[in-house]
Amino acid sequence: MTSTPIRHHLRPFSLFVLLASLRCGCGAAVAAGYGGGAEGFCSAEPSSECSGGQPLYWKVTHPTLAPAHLQDLPGFTRSVFKRDHALITPESHVFGPLPDWINTLGAYLISPAIGAHFTMYLANMQDGSKSALPPKDVERLVFVLQGGISLSVGTGTTHSLLVDSYAYLPANTKHSMISDESTTLVIFERRYSAIDDSHPDLIVGSTDKQPLLETPGEIFQLRKLLPTSMPYDFNIHIMDFQPGEYLNVKEVHYNQHGLLLLEGQGIYRLGDNWYPVQAGDTIWMAPFVPQWYAALGKTRTRYLLYKDVNRNPLM
């Protein structure tokens, strides 16, 4: 595989600067005069594989281009909002107390106000934090990015969720989450679309326990966190790309997406727009927006992707 499809659409000089800024170390960017200051982009911590063993998904909460690196650029953001897609980057996150949660700050990244039929938000918990229930008839999926939580369901079942673990909680399931350490969660919620007498089950799992699935015509690795059966009206995909790998097909479909880049960096094409993206970035994709991704840099790209499934679009 080559990066010819990228070069075909990007001027060589622009691609050089982009690759230099995304690579581990940034030596080429410094040589070209595009970095190297003590507080600049290239002075940020390298990716986990280059820095000698940072925790999994560390880059989500410590992105290369973090707010601390932008103090001398007031008003700057990479975030973009358009009719059929949005890129929400860490420097523009706005945290505030989550309603009815205890000692927890949240940042809503995707919501119906943007045109989505679901919400996606970050929850930052501390020692003594406790969750609240979602609204009536709303299902919830929780994925641990940092730290850990104790999840209590019903009257007595308790699960310990660490980084890379997740829980799917069907609508109207009584539950609570508590934390005794600094913890970051990404949470998806949507109003459950019921059909017939189908009822989804509570699911607790971890990414590494999910099997790799076949991806005909593609080379990325795919795992699905939820069953593909009819009771489930959405799924969460974990997709892995090695450097230089890319989607063979520029997709156009009726499904919505909410994406969080967990590791790595690359280029996302949405419609006629090309966006450099890195760990910590969030993307919303409306139905039928053309979409394509290529992984750059020296480390694996992994992203988490929400996708609505198993329902007639007319419902």
Side-chain angles (χ1 to χ4, degrees):
M1 298 294 177
T2 71
S3 55
T4 302
I6 302 175
R7 289 198 298 266
H8 179 72
H9 294 281
L10 295 178
R11 293 181 179 179
F13 179 74
S14 299
L15 180 60
F16 168 78
V17 174
L18 173 64
L19 289 170
S21 66
L22 289 173
R23 63 176 292 193
C24 249
C26 298
V30 173
Y34 290 93
E39 301 298 329
F41 179 83
C42 291
S43 66
E45 298 85 359
S47 65
S48 57
E49 291 187 24
C50 302
S51 58
Q54 294 292 354
L56 188 66
Y57 308 148
W58 184 80
K59 276 289 188 179
V60 176
T61 52
H62 300 79
T64 299
L65 193 59
H69 304 132
L70 302 173
Q71 294 176 357
D72 295 329
L73 290 172
F76 174 81
T77 182
R78 294 185 297 117
S79 292
V80 174
F81 172 67
K82 294 184 179 292
R83 178 188 60 82
D84 55 5
H85 69 271
L87 170 65
I88 310 297
T89 57
E91 72 276 358
S92 57
H93 290 175
V94 177
F95 283 87
L98 283 176
D100 300 322
W101 290 54
I102 297 173
N103 193 28
T104 304
L105 297 178
Y108 282 91
L109 307 175
I110 299 173
S111 78
I114 208 172
H117 59 228
F118 65 96
T119 61
M120 173 182 174
Y121 60 97
L122 298 176
N124 286 344
M125 306 179 77
Q126 306 294 329
D127 185 13
S129 295
K130 184 177 180 179
S131 68
L133 291 173
K136 180 178 172 59
D137 297 331
V138 170
E139 56 193 331
R140 169 183 280 174
L141 186 137
V142 177
F143 187 94
V144 182
L145 299 171
Q146 172 187 299
I149 58 171
S150 177
L151 168 67
S152 298
V153 182
T155 58
T157 305
T158 301
H159 304 271
S160 179
L161 273 63
L162 302 177
V163 174
D164 213 30
S165 297
Y166 63 92
Y168 168 75
L169 299 141
N172 305 318
T173 300
K174 300 295 184 183
H175 67 278
S176 67
M177 298 177 287
I178 61 174
S179 179
D180 59 5
E181 62 178 317
S182 179
T183 295
T184 300
L185 311 174
V186 59
I187 299 175
F188 296 86
E189 294 175 350
R190 63 168 284 172
R191 194 165 300 280
Y192 181 63
S193 178
I195 55 169
D196 301 326
D197 294 324
S198 297
H199 300 286
D201 296 321
L202 167 75
I203 294 176
V204 176
S206 61
T207 299
D208 62 344
K209 300 299 183 183
Q210 306 312 309
L212 287 173
L213 303 176
E214 292 186 7
T215 56
E218 297 285 0
I219 55 177
F220 63 83
Q221 293 185 329
L222 171 66
R223 294 174 172 86
K224 295 184 180 182
L225 301 189
L226 298 180
T228 58
S229 54
M230 290 300 293
Y232 299 88
D233 59 1
F234 76 90
N235 214 317
I236 300 293
H237 296 185
I238 301 293
M239 300 173 66
D240 293 342
F241 298 78
Q242 296 303 317
E245 293 182 348
Y246 51 85
L247 291 170
N248 282 326
V249 177
K250 186 170 76 170
E251 297 182 337
V252 179
H253 49 62
Y254 80 92
N255 315 82
Q256 291 195 31
H257 286 323
L259 180 154
L260 177 63
L261 205 68
L262 299 173
E263 296 179 316
Q265 57 273 313
I267 292 287
Y268 229 104
R269 182 178 182 181
L270 298 166
D272 292 328
N273 302 275
W274 300 76
Y275 299 106
V277 293
Q278 62 170 8
D281 289 351
T282 297
I283 298 174
W284 169 66
M285 294 172 247
F288 299 106
V289 61
Q291 55 198 257
W292 179 85
Y293 180 72
L296 302 178
K298 292 185 176 181
T299 63
R300 175 185 73 177
T301 286
R302 166 170 284 185
Y303 59 68
L304 175 155
L305 183 78
Y306 165 96
K307 181 178 183 179
D308 53 298
V309 295
N310 293 333
R311 296 297 183 269
N312 189 312
L314 292 175
M315 292 180 62

